[in-house]
């Protein structure tokens, strides 16, 4: 990463925007360019970027962010059911409601720090999950998940025109929000979310959060009350999760309780660490990789493997297929686990650190070739 | 303008602005290039002139229903083999009326893709979407949970891809959540209740107190309701109905209260690993050795499968339940299927395997009947289709709710199994007429043919 400067930030923004919008092109060779997965990349990118605002800047590790994702989804689906199939109110409600929910949880959880904070958030998320799963069944429809039905009131839509035959689509002023239009809607949201995150990282508020991360006690002694800053960061991050949750509902109008399960909270932690905690693009990368594994690797079966290794001699092919078969299909968790261990052990800063190391290796080599001494480590190039 | 730019490091130079503009144009324009072909086809994933057609098999490979999922996948692979004219043909030899020729479907070779539903609605829909959008499947089949079936069926209707439900037993699947693009061969909770009723009365009398433990989702709810209605008609009382989370693992906290509730029958509305765990724990807690109200304490598992019986071991001996199909049936179709499945995998098929195998064949057969893969025509061919020679005797796909009607088996855990697979004994074959009902009682709306 280059030295932060307004100019470099604009370049970063431009590159990021182009990369996100062109995803259908450059992801095609690896078989990831289909609308559903592209939508997931964008949505979980938002989720991870938001999580990183809390975890990357303040160092507070929340283990309950999936609760906000779920709240966002439920709010969005209810907006589709009660008001209109237009996605804007759904996104708005999802984000705002998740924000309110974050105020409540954050207010209590942020009284503690470190592992106690993590456990408190985990407890709240698990509580929300169980509420959604059984106690609040009239609102959430339990394990079956909340779905649209023909009998929904949809007051705004039905006031404008008579309901058609079959279930309606989520739409943005007539544009169907599934397939590629849905992806572009999510992509625009992702770009906005990334921009806001960038501004927060560069703002005095972001500095304040970083200062809390490096030494909260010192901050208190210099007379700062850190809790409001933490709460704001927590709520922003919760709203990002709510936005991601409502986008999940926008692209597929169904909300299930499993979105709030602790595994979903753990997933976003993995994404952030895999990509690089506290970096701008890291969480997005991590989200992409995990979703790619989940959707593509899990679909490999023996038939496909036999096709890939068909060129090998028969005996060897069977062995190769048997061994690789362990790591794909239902074994995709194993591959992901191994990758995660390698990253954490060798690249504690995540993939972004890996990229930085490669870059500095080449820079150093070219400097050496030009006869420049490189005793001092080249950082920040 | 340029002058001001050099003063203002935040602004763009003209060159930068032009570059950015060019890049964005390419980026925004690109998808139009990729989606252009979409206009050429008149239905989703039309195989057109391709030499093969792709089926999508979406089964649980992880989670509480993973055993059923693994067996379903085996059955699908076998079905594809038989459709392509490989192997011994299995039920293709017994099916009537049959339009399949053993050369694929409509002359196209059948290939397949697989996915993991994880027994979660979200994951199942993501996996199904991948099949529809990326792999270009013409139909999707599978699933071992009604929650998943209802979720994927909704998606199938939206996307216009036919979904042949795998193992799903909830009344909702072809009741209030029924869809034009969803079809179910498996029986449902209402039929289980109807079939079990007379046998329960015969075995346990009409003065019983029942306690329900129910898996907390659509299937559990409807099964609890159906069984409760049946037993209350017999004169039984319902002491309590308790909901338990799917995949709970430990049921001891739910079983302890049963001991002192005054109930003398425990009804386990559980399936898969949940049922194995709850039944094993109930037996360990000594429920079956107890005497309550002067009667032996009994346990009933309304939906039974051989895979579960295998997992629960000795605990299932003597326990009553219903099943869609059992490999010990002696009709030609069942024998042919068991033989070719056994040759392939070295074990007899489960009821999940049978229903999935039959579903794949029925879909392929309907395409041959319709002469096209165009979904509305295939749907019309399946609606009201009457067939035989698929292991369940004469069967009909009812047009009004896409539910198959056929005989239901009441089974009992075998006291003296002759092999490790001989775990269920058929007590009674309940004829179709006794389990039939008016489609209107569950409500719901199939929706349009064309989407």
């Amino acid at each position: 990463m280059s030295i932060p400067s307004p100019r470099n930030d604009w370049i970063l923004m431009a590159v990021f925007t182009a990369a996100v919008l062109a995803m259908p092109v450059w992801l095609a060779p690896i078989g990831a360019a289909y609308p559903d997965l592209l939508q997931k990349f964008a949505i979980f990118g938002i989720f991870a970027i938001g999580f990183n605002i809390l975890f990357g800047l303040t160092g507070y590790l929340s283990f309950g962010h999936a609760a906000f994702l779920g709240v966002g989804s439920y709010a969005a689906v209810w907006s589709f059911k009660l008001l209109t199939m237009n996605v804007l109110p759904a996104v708005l409600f999802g984000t705002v409601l998740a924000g309110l929910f974050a105020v409540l949880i954050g207010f209590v959880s942020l009284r503690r720090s470190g592992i106690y904070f993590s456990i408190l958030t985990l407890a709240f998320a698990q509580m929300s999950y169980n509420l959604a799963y059984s106690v609040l069944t009239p609102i959430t429809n339990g394990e079956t998940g909340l779905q649209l039905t023909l009998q929904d009131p949809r007051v705004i839509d039905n006031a404008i025109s008579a309901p058609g035959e079959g279930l309606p689509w989520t739409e943005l002023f007539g544009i169907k929000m599934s397939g590629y239009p849905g992806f572009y809607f999510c992509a625009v949201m992702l770009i906005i979310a990334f921009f806001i995150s960038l501004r927060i990282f560069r703002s005095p508020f972001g500095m304040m959060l970083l200062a809390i991360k490096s030494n909260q006690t010192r901050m208190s002694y210099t007379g700062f009350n850190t809790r409001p800053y933490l709460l704001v960061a927590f709520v922003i991050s919760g709203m990002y999760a709510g936005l991601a949750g409502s986008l999940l509902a926008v692209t597929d109008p169904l909300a299930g309780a499993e979105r709030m399960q602790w595994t979903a909270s753990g997933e976003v932690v993995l994404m952030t660490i895999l990509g690089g905690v506290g970096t701008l693009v890291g969480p997005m990368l991590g989200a992409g990789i995990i979703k790619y594994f989940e959707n593509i690797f899990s679909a490999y079966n023996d038939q496909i493997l036999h096709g890939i290794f068909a060129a090998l001699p028969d005996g060897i092919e069977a062995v190769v297929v048997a061994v690789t078969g362990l790591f794909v299909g239902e074994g995709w968790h194993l591959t992901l686990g191994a990758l995660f261990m390698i990253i954490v052990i060798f690249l504690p800063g995540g993939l972004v650190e890996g990229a930085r190391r490669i870059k500095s290796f080449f820079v150093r080599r070219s400097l050496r070739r030009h006869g420049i001494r490189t005793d001092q480590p080249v950082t920040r190039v | 303008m340029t002058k001001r730019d050099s003063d203002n490091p935040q602004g763009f130079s003209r060159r930068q602005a032009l570059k950015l503009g060019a890049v964005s144009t390419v980026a925004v324009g690109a998808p139009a290039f990729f989606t252009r072909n979409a206009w050429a086809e008149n239905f989703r994933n039309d195989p057109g002139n391709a030499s093969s057609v792709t089926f999508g098999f979406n089964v649980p490979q992880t989670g509480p229903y993973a055993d059923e999922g693994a067996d379903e996948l085996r059955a699908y692979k076998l079905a594809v083999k038989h459709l392509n004219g490989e192997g011994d043909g299995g039920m293709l030899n017994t099916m009537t009326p049959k339009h399949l020729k053993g050369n694929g479907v409509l002359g196209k070779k059948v290939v397949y893709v697989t996915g993991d539903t994880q027994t979660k609605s979200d994951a199942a829909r993501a996996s199904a979407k991948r099949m529809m959008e990326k792999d270009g499947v013409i139909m999707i089949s599978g699933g071992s949970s009604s929650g998943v079936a209802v979720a994927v069926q909704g998606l199938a209707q939206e996307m216009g891809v036919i979904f042949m439900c795998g193992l799903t037993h909830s009344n909702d699947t072809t009741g209030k959540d029924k869809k034009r693009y969803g079809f179910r061969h498996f029986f449902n909770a209402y039929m289980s209740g109807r079939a079990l009723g007379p046998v329960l009365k015969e075995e346990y009398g009409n003065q019983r107190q029942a306690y329900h433990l129910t898996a907390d989702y659509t299937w559990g709810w409807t099964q609890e309701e159906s069984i409760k209605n049946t037993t209350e008609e017999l004169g039984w009382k319902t002491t309590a109905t308790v909901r338990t989370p799917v995949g709970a693992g430990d049921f001891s906290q739910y079983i302890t209260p049963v001991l002192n509730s005054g109930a003398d029958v425990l009804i386990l509305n559980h399936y898969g690993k949940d049922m194995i765990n709850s039944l094993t724990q109930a037996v360990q807690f000594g429920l079956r050795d107890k005497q309550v109200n002067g009667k032996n304490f009994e346990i009933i598992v309304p939906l039974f499968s051989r895979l579960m019986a295998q997992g629960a071991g000795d605990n299932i001996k003597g326990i009553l339940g219903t099943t869609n199909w059992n490999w010990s049936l002696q009709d030609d179709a069942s024998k042919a299927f068991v033989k070719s499945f056994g040759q392939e995998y070295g074990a007899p098929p489960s009821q999940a395997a049978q229903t999935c195998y039959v579903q794949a064949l029925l879909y392929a057969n309907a395409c041959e009947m319709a002469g096209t893969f165009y979904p509305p025509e295939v749907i019309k061919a399946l609606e009201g289709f009457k067939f035989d020679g698929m292991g369940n005797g004469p069967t009909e796909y009812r047009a009004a709710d896409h539910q198959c009607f056929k005989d239901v088996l009441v089974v009992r855990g075998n006291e003296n199994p002759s092999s490790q697979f001989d775990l269920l004994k058929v007590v009674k074959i309940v004829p179709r007429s006794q389990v039939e009902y008016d489609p209107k009682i569950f409500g719901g709306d199939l929706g349009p043919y064309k989407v």
Side-chain angles (χ1 to χ4, degrees):
Chain A
M1 193 97 4
S2 322
I3 301 159
S5 72
R7 191 192 143 86
N8 283 339
D9 280 353
W10 281 114
I11 295 176
L12 178 66
M13 243 352 263
V15 171
F16 184 83
T17 307
V20 167
L21 291 178
M23 274 205 298
V25 184
W26 61 268
L27 284 176
I30 56 169
Y34 62 97
D36 184 55
L37 187 56
L38 292 172
Q39 291 161 4
K40 293 263 157 41
F41 283 160
I43 292 169
F44 283 90
I46 294 173
F47 190 22
I49 286 172
F51 183 75
N52 192 41
I53 291 176
L54 181 70
F55 183 39
L57 287 180
T58 70
Y60 273 63
L61 175 58
S62 159
F63 251 116
H65 252 53
F68 307 125
L69 191 78
V71 168
S73 288
Y74 283 122
V77 176
W78 273 112
S79 155
F80 293 139
K81 284 171 89 72
L82 297 179
L83 298 175
T84 165
M85 293 305 288
N86 194 313
V87 298
L88 292 181
V91 168
L92 190 71
F93 281 130
T95 316
V96 170
L97 206 69
L100 291 176
F101 202 58
V103 172
L104 288 178
I105 293 188
F107 186 74
V108 180
S109 306
L110 286 167
R111 291 180 181 259
R112 292 284 170 271
S113 61
I115 187 75
Y116 303 102
F117 169 78
S118 303
I119 295 296
L120 274 174
T121 50
L122 176 63
F124 275 115
Q126 207 49 20
M127 231 152 74
S128 321
Y129 166 68
N130 281 316
L131 283 174
Y133 198 97
S134 49
V135 182
L136 295 178
T137 298
I139 300 177
T140 61
N141 202 20
E143 209 263 359
T144 316
L146 193 61
Q147 291 193 48
L148 302 177
T149 65
L150 289 169
Q151 289 79 39
D152 293 332
R154 262 185 285 282
V155 280
I156 298 179
D157 282 4
N158 290 351
I160 297 169
S161 62
E165 197 185 2
L167 283 179
W169 297 81
T170 55
E171 43 89 29
L172 179 68
F173 305 113
I175 310 170
K176 246 190 208 172
M177 281 292 117
S178 58
Y180 280 105
F183 162 66
Y184 280 101
F185 182 71
C186 296
V188 168
M189 287 294 172
L190 171 66
I191 291 162
I192 296 171
F194 184 75
F195 180 73
I196 295 173
S197 145
L198 180 75
R199 299 314 302 164
I200 290 175
F201 268 65
R202 301 286 184 253
S203 67
F205 171 68
M207 288 304 289
M208 200 67 80
L209 297 179
L210 272 175
I212 293 173
K213 183 182 188 177
S214 63
N215 195 334
Q216 190 172 358
T217 323
R218 187 167 60 198
M219 287 291 285
S220 311
Y221 282 160
T222 47
F224 278 103
N225 185 3
T226 54
R227 203 170 290 150
Y229 288 98
L230 283 171
L231 187 62
V232 172
F234 190 82
V235 171
I236 292 175
S237 158
M239 287 173 79
Y240 266 75
L243 172 65
S246 58
L247 288 177
L248 278 176
V250 163
T251 54
D252 188 358
L254 169 129
E258 65 257 30
R259 260 176 215 173
M260 298 178 133
Q261 220 175 352
W262 64 270
T263 47
S265 300
E267 200 179 51
V268 72
V269 180
L270 288 189
M271 287 170 181
T272 313
I273 294 177
L274 199 63
V277 182
T279 61
L280 279 163
V281 287
M284 176 69 214
L285 281 179
I289 287 176
I290 290 194
K291 284 293 143 190
Y292 182 75
F293 269 71
E294 185 181 331
N295 286 282
I296 304 294
F297 262 57
S298 70
Y300 278 34
N301 53 32
D302 286 358
Q303 192 192 17
I304 297 175
L305 287 179
H306 279 294
I308 295 174
F309 296 114
L312 296 172
D314 270 358
I316 301 172
E317 193 226 351
V319 176
V320 172
V321 169
V323 173
T324 44
L326 289 177
F327 292 91
V328 297
E330 55 193 276
W332 69 271
H333 282 113
L334 189 65
T335 320
L336 187 64
L339 181 70
F340 189 69
M341 275 170 55
I342 292 170
I343 297 261
V344 170
I345 295 170
F346 297 106
L347 291 174
L351 292 171
V352 170
E353 188 188 329
R356 206 174 290 168
R357 280 196 199 171
I358 293 171
K359 192 173 162 194
S360 76
F361 171 76
F362 281 110
V363 168
R364 214 176 300 173
R365 204 172 63 168
S366 78
L367 288 179
R368 202 177 298 138
R369 197 177 299 151
H370 291 97
I372 298 169
R373 283 181 52 203
T374 54
D375 309 327
Q376 269 99 45
V378 181
T379 51
R380 296 221 141 190
V381 171
Chain B
M1 183 96 186
T2 25
K3 193 138 188 275
R4 205 165 57 196
D5 272 353
S6 59
D7 296 335
N8 169 18
Q10 279 203 43
F12 291 100
S13 71
R14 185 160 54 190
R15 181 174 295 224
Q16 279 175 319
L18 282 175
K19 271 186 193 164
L20 184 64
V23 169
S24 328
T25 314
V26 170
V28 175
F33 172 75
F34 283 95
T35 49
R36 202 176 43 194
N37 287 339
W39 297 106
E41 61 190 31
N42 49 7
F43 63 95
R44 192 179 285 273
N45 298 337
D46 182 358
N49 295 324
S51 63
S52 66
V53 58
T54 313
F55 287 4
F57 301 136
N58 203 12
V59 303
Q61 297 175 357
T62 50
Y65 300 151
D67 290 349
E68 275 76 13
D71 218 40
E72 289 181 355
L73 205 53
R74 282 183 211 117
Y76 283 130
K77 287 180 184 166
L78 192 66
V80 167
K81 244 181 152 177
H82 292 166
L83 285 174
N84 287 333
E86 298 157 22
D88 63 5
M91 281 194 202
L92 278 189
N93 302 321
T94 57
M95 178 180 185
T96 55
K98 184 181 79 168
H99 299 81
L100 290 163
K101 300 172 191 75
N103 61 347
V105 183
L106 294 172
K108 296 185 200 301
K109 186 171 184 278
V110 179
V111 293
Y112 65 91
V113 292
T114 57
D116 183 5
T117 68
Q118 302 175 29
T119 319
K120 290 179 183 169
S121 311
D122 260 357
R125 274 173 83 115
S127 171
K129 269 197 169 173
R130 169 183 57 78
M131 292 176 178
M132 296 173 187
E133 289 178 346
K134 171 166 175 271
D135 303 323
V137 297
I138 188 72
M139 78 96 158
I140 288 188
S141 184
S144 184
S145 153
S146 295
V148 166
V150 168
V152 174
Q153 192 169 267
L155 181 74
Q157 181 76 28
E158 276 168 35
M159 306 283 272
V161 174
I162 292 180
F163 176 58
M164 302 298 281
C165 302
L167 200 152
T168 156
H169 188 244
S170 168
N171 295 339
D172 292 346
T173 312
T174 49
K176 89 176 166 52
D177 295 317
K178 66 187 166 204
K179 292 282 180 309
R180 184 70 66 188
Y181 279 73
F183 287 88
R184 170 162 69 181
H185 170 263
F186 207 66
F187 70 143
N188 63 25
Y190 181 89
M191 300 183 186
S192 283
R194 288 285 122 201
L196 263 181
V199 180
L200 291 182
K201 187 174 180 182
E202 215 170 280
E203 301 265 341
Y204 305 139
N206 49 16
Q207 295 289 321
R208 286 281 187 169
Q209 309 273 342
Y211 192 106
H212 287 258
L213 288 184
T214 303
D216 195 359
Y217 72 106
T218 168
W219 167 66
W221 305 335
T222 65
Q223 175 160 305
E224 177 191 288
E225 187 193 352
S226 297
I227 302 295
K228 206 173 130 193
N229 290 345
T230 308
T231 53
E232 283 177 359
E233 267 172 41
L234 298 177
W236 294 21
K237 301 227 160 35
T238 307
T239 311
T241 57
V242 176
R243 305 272 163 95
T244 66
V246 179
D250 181 13
F251 290 89
S252 47
Q253 56 165 320
Y254 301 104
I255 291 169
T256 341
V258 182
L259 292 164
N260 304 314
S261 63
D264 48 28
V265 175
L266 173 64
I267 297 174
L268 292 176
N269 298 310
H270 288 153
Y271 195 75
K273 291 199 174 82
D274 280 355
M275 174 268 175
I276 296 175
N277 290 333
S278 63
L279 178 63
T280 309
Q281 284 174 348
V283 173
Q284 280 166 357
F285 276 57
L287 283 180
R288 297 193 72 189
D289 310 322
K290 260 172 73 96
Q291 289 269 327
V292 181
N293 310 332
K295 303 181 194 85
N296 279 329
F297 194 98
E298 301 291 349
I299 300 177
I300 299 167
V301 180
L303 179 61
F304 234 155
S305 95
R306 199 207 79 235
L307 288 177
M308 284 151 51
Q310 221 163 309
D314 282 349
N315 301 321
I316 56 115
K317 284 184 178 170
I319 286 179
L320 281 172
T322 59
T323 182
N324 190 50
W325 178 84
N326 192 36
W327 69 276
S328 63
L329 289 173
Q330 288 305 309
D331 59 296
D332 290 343
S334 299
K335 282 202 293 203
F337 179 51
V338 172
K339 179 166 158 269
S340 77
F341 195 93
Q343 271 172 0
E344 192 83 15
Y345 306 112
S350 63
Q351 61 170 353
Q354 188 255 358
T355 197
C356 289
Y357 177 88
V358 170
Q359 285 280 66
L361 258 51
L362 283 175
Y363 172 81
N365 191 61
C367 291
E368 291 278 355
M369 276 164 74
T372 171
F373 290 104
Y374 182 52
E377 291 303 316
V378 179
I379 291 172
K380 281 172 194 154
L382 275 170
E383 285 178 341
F385 182 54
K386 289 192 179 79
F387 57 95
D388 197 357
M390 303 288 263
N392 301 94
T395 310
E396 181 187 355
Y397 246 127
R398 187 157 76 180
D401 56 0
H402 294 189
Q403 169 69 48
C404 262
F405 282 86
K406 52 195 165 10
D407 300 345
V408 174
L409 307 180
V410 176
V411 292
R412 185 198 297 277
N414 210 341
E415 300 278 4
N416 303 303
S418 58
S419 77
Q420 56 161 325
F421 303 115
D422 181 27
L423 297 168
L424 300 179
K425 214 169 107 186
V426 178
V427 178
K428 194 174 169 191
I429 298 180
V430 181
R432 173 187 160 177
S433 57
Q434 273 190 32
V435 297
E436 241 170 322
Y437 57 89
D438 182 354
K440 289 194 198 75
I441 62 172
F442 293 124
D445 185 12
L446 282 171
Y449 283 96
K450 213 168 146 43
V451 289

